[in-house]
Amino acid sequence: MTEDIRIRDFLRSLEPDGDPLCERIAADAAERGIPIVKRETGAFLKVLAAVGKPGAILEIGTAVGYSAILMALAAPEGCRITTIEKDAARAAEARENVRRAGIEERIAVICGDADEILGTLADETYDLVFMDAAKGQYIKWLPDALRVLRPGGILAADNVLQGGTVFESRFAVERRDRTIHARMREFLWELKHRDGLRSAVLTVGDGVAVAVKTGPAQ
Ligand code: SAH
Ligand code: MG
């Protein structure tokens, strides 16, 4: 564990400072306890946003817009990002941050519950879907996330290792966390076994699962 922390700190120390506005948003979010992506997860997202030259990205869980802005700045200029946030105050703040970044025409913040919004999105629209909201819902959102992905598109999900407890027996997990724990295991199992998906689970940050849609959504 100590080694893990040393490796993590080393990797984190390699990260150059990012865009100044992103750095300010990150520092402010950390102060207020808003759970934005870890630094190294941000670096990984930038790679994903650049690698396949995505034309459209969907994010579930905007918070104050940090990861959306970070992806927008790494993606090709023509890429449009749609991001869903159910908390109205956070959605408003995200819009303000997007405006400050001067990229309002590239990021649309939808204020609403992903439970309702996902069903309204058209099939095979997005090249990248990034799930970073209520972890217990990932398994429920998976069919819609795959439906809206283009063939060859990528699904990434954050916080899949539950602060390192995902492998523990359910009895070792606090009672209140057991449902989320079980659902996250089910989600990872699905990503690995579902037809039409090829996936890997990475120990980046709080754990990121990444899957490519190789066939039609099941
Ligand atoms: N992706 C952001 C962090 C998101 S934090 C970043 O890295 O910058 C997770 C966010 O998901 C929270 O702001 C929370 O309000 C939102 N959320 C949780 N459940 C949701 C749901 N069902 N629909 C939409 N947003 C949700
Ligand atoms: Mg996260």
Side-chain angles (χ1 to χ4, degrees):
M1 199 59 192
T2 318
E3 287 304 308
D4 286 354
I5 289 172
R6 286 171 60 190
I7 289 171
R8 185 201 67 192
D9 287 348
F10 168 68
L11 295 179
R12 209 168 271 183
S13 74
L14 288 177
E15 288 294 329
D17 279 349
D19 168 79
L21 175 65
C22 284
E23 293 290 331
R24 276 206 302 280
I25 297 171
D28 177 65
E31 218 164 85
R32 292 156 64 204
I34 298 171
I36 62 166
V37 289
K38 301 260 160 50
R39 222 175 160 71
E40 52 278 22
T41 308
F44 181 62
L45 281 183
K46 287 190 213 172
V47 171
L48 288 184
V51 75
K53 300 200 171 40
I57 297 175
L58 173 69
E59 176 180 67
I60 308 172
T62 317
V64 294
Y66 175 72
S67 52
I69 294 171
L70 188 141
M71 288 192 284
L73 297 180
E77 250 185 50
C79 179
R80 294 288 174 271
I81 299 184
T82 302
T83 178
I84 308 171
E85 172 56 54
K86 74 170 181 192
D87 181 292
R90 285 191 179 174
E93 210 179 309
R95 286 194 188 109
E96 179 56 23
N97 284 330
V98 167
R99 194 192 56 74
R100 278 198 199 123
I103 49 176
E104 305 94 301
E105 73 292 346
R106 294 172 60 188
I107 299 181
V109 180
I110 300 182
C111 182
D113 193 316
D115 277 341
E116 280 139 41
I117 308 294
L118 284 176
T120 68
L121 304 174
D123 293 359
E124 304 194 347
T125 309
Y126 299 96
D127 304 287
L128 173 61
V129 174
F130 177 49
M131 271 190 200
D132 188 21
K135 298 184 284 264
Q137 311 299 314
Y138 289 3
I139 184 72
K140 187 170 74 184
W141 295 335
L142 183 60
D144 267 321
L146 296 178
R147 178 182 63 76
V148 304
L149 259 187
R150 290 199 179 110
I154 288 173
L155 169 67
D158 191 28
N159 311 104
V160 299
L161 296 181
Q162 312 271 273
T165 65
V166 74
F167 61 86
E168 306 263 20
S169 120
R170 67 185 294 268
F171 299 106
V173 176
E174 297 267 349
R175 183 172 288 278
R176 66 186 165 81
D177 291 333
R178 278 189 195 157
T179 310
I180 287 190
H181 180 262
R183 287 184 185 165
M184 186 53 84
R185 282 181 167 213
E186 195 189 339
F187 176 69
L188 294 179
W189 196 94
E190 281 293 321
L191 286 189
K192 282 301 205 180
H193 295 89
R194 218 173 242 252
D195 287 340
L197 276 188
R198 189 158 294 289
S199 65
V201 182
L202 312 177
T203 56
V204 176
D206 195 24
V208 178
V210 53
V212 56
K213 177 171 163 178
T214 55
Q218 305 292 312

